[in-house]
Amino acid sequence: ASSKVELRRSHAIAIATMWQNEDGKRRISEEKARRLTNKALVEADMNELGDASFAQVVDDLCKIGCIELSDGEIWLREWIRRNWP
């Protein structure tokens, strides 16, 4: 059984923000990721994500194998390449 995940701009901003702010070991706290993602969303003229919405973005990224979440810490598993400034 396969599941589909619809990725939105908020997912892209979240994963890019996580990579820009990881600790050098490809890890970032979930709280820091949420705070910085919301800052990036506001800078992109988008609405901030509430706790439940951010948790859904994290869950979606876990489902497709981009990240893993354990004890409030996100491990970035997949490298990304940005094609925008």
Side-chain angles (χ1 to χ4, degrees):
S2 65
S3 61
K4 292 185 179 182
V5 174
E6 182 179 340
L7 299 180
R8 294 183 171 83
R9 192 168 175 211
S10 56
H11 291 85
I13 289 174
I15 194 74
T17 298
M18 290 177 202
W19 272 106
Q20 290 167 351
N21 296 282
E22 53 94 16
D23 66 0
K25 300 176 195 164
R26 296 172 33 192
R27 297 182 188 279
I28 185 170
S29 75
E30 186 177 17
E31 187 281 324
K32 182 177 180 181
R34 184 185 55 76
R35 182 171 36 85
L36 295 175
T37 294
N38 277 332
K39 183 179 175 192
L41 288 168
V42 169
E43 289 170 0
D45 292 324
M46 295 176 65
N47 293 327
E48 290 187 8
L49 297 173
D51 291 344
S53 296
F54 184 75
Q56 184 62 58
V57 166
V58 168
D59 189 52
D60 291 344
L61 294 172
C62 285
K63 283 180 186 172
I64 62 172
C66 287
I67 64 173
E68 285 186 18
L69 177 63
S70 178
D71 296 325
E73 184 175 71
I74 294 168
W75 174 40
L76 302 164
R77 297 190 51 204
E78 293 290 330
W79 297 100
I80 63 167
R81 178 177 44 210
R82 286 182 52 165
N83 291 327
W84 68 92

